[in-house]
């Protein structure tokens, strides 16, 4: 379908739509502030807002997501997850599973997931995911995904980041969009049928399970302990040495692997 292109060739609407297939409605912006913000501003089911370049990319907790022009795959998909509210926390984890599965054939190893949903290649972050719930009826989820495709080391904003290129994979962003959306659809179908099954897959890809961690909590405090489980609702189960704590939100720092 497509001729070979260099990883940073400008994206084209028609090619993206062809790669995404009929299940999705792709809307390309040569430049956007945040694709999550654009998708949330005029949401419709199965809309996929793609940006060739993003100038105000958002991370969790008001952090930023930075990618040089053309070096990343940056998009937000609007979905109707058809799950009860109690299972919404599993959506970002399902998205992480979807990205890991889509990247595996390119990098030849299994990407692992740092809780909740950083996609790591060789321990470094290759993809960030930001899921937001909209007050629509039914409530839609905006699933924002940023994959580092072509950055050189000095183009990454933090030393803990990596890209597919640095992992040895030359990947066409258009084809990758199709692959990730296909994988995302499959995980969402699986989630609607059985959140337990998705969590089973998630645990198998977790880089955080059985690790000693420090979790920086949203309020500014931190707790440390061993991650003994990630429960059915995606919460960390932490053995602090003084008891068991459940963590629903926070930033994990892996302290050291289990010997
Ligand atoms: C995330 O937040 O990892 C979620 C990032 C989601 C980005 C996508 S792009 C499409 C959609 N539209 C948006 O506006 N956002 C979504 P968090 O876990 O908070 O991580 C943010 C932190 O990762 C930053 O504070 C940096 O330390 C680091 N960071 C920033 N840019 C990065 C990059 N390109 N690669 C790896 N790490 C990065």
């Amino acid at each position: 379908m497509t001729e070979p292109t260099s990883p940073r060739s400008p994206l084209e609407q028609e090619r993206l739509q062809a790669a995404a297939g009929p299940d999705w409605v792709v809307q390309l912006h040569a430049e956007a502030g945040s694709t999550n913000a654009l998708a949330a501003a005029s949401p419709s089911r199965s809309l996929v807002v793609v940006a060739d370049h993003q100038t105000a990319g958002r991370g969790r907790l008001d952090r930023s997501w930075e990618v040089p022009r053309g070096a990343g795959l940056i998009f937000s998909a609007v979905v109707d997850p058809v799950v009860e509210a109690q299972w919404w926390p599993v959506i970002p984890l399902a998205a992480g599973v979807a990205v890991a599965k889509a990247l595996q054939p390119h990098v030849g190893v299994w990407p692992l997931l740092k809780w909740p949903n950083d996609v790591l290649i060789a321990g470094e972050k290759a993809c960030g995911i930001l899921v937001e719930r909209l007050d629509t009826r039914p409530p839609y989820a905006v699933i924002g995904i940023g994959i580092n495709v072509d950055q050189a080391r000095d183009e990454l904003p933090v030393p803990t980041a990596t890209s597919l290129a640095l992992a040895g994979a030359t990947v066409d962003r258009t084809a990758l969009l199709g692959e990730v959306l296909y994988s995302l659809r499959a995980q969402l179908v699986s989630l609607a049928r059985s959140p337990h099954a998705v969590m089973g897959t998630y645990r198998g890809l977790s880089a955080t399970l059985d690790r000693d961690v420090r979790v920086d909590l949203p309020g500014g405090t931190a707790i440390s302990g061993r991650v003994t489980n990630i429960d059915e609702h995606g919460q960390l189960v932490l053995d602090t040495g003084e008891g068991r704590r459940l963590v629903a939100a926070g930033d994990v720092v892996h302290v050291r692997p289990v010997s």
Side-chain angles (χ1 to χ4, degrees), residues 61-133:
L61 308 171
D62 282 335
R63 289 182 294 236
S64 62
W65 186 255
E66 294 160 44
V67 181
R69 182 180 299 275
L73 176 62
I74 293 161
F75 69 96
S76 300
V78 180
V79 301
D80 172 5
V82 250
V83 288
E84 291 167 31
Q86 59 166 329
W87 300 115
W88 273 67
V90 183
I91 297 170
L93 282 60
V97 169
V99 172
K101 288 196 168 209
L103 295 185
Q104 191 274 337
H106 290 287
V107 290
V109 293
W110 275 103
L112 295 180
L113 300 169
K114 178 158 103 64
W115 188 86
N117 56 10
D118 287 352
V119 182
L120 307 182
I121 298 174
E124 297 175 320
K125 181 166 171 174
C127 167
I129 296 170
L130 176 66
V131 175
E132 295 174 292
R133 182 187 168 118

Side-chain angles (χ1 to χ4, degrees), residues 18 20 40 53 84 123 163 172 183 223-224 229 237 247:
H53 183 52
E84 291 167 31
S163 68
D172 175 62
S183 185
I223 49 172
S224 296
N229 193 12
V237 182
V247 180

Side-chain angles (χ1 to χ4, degrees), residues 34-36 54 58-60 63-66 125 128 148 157 161:
S34 157
T35 55
N36 264 40
Q54 191 172 236
R58 302 201 315 229
R60 295 177 302 133
R63 289 182 294 236
S64 62
W65 186 255
E66 294 160 44
K125 181 166 171 174
N148 296 330

Side-chain angles (χ1 to χ4, degrees), residues 199-250:
M199 282 310 304
T201 310
Y202 178 87
R203 288 188 198 98
L205 292 171
S206 176
T208 304
L209 197 54
D210 295 330
R211 297 281 293 260
D212 288 336
V213 300
R214 188 189 77 228
V215 189
D216 297 328
L217 301 170
T221 57
I223 49 172
S224 296
R226 168 75 53 91
V227 178
T228 57
N229 193 12
I230 298 169
D231 77 9
E232 292 302 89
H233 297 279
Q235 300 181 101
L236 280 186
V237 182
L238 211 59
D239 178 357
T240 65
E242 293 167 1
R244 212 179 65 127
R245 287 276 301 269
L246 291 178
V247 180

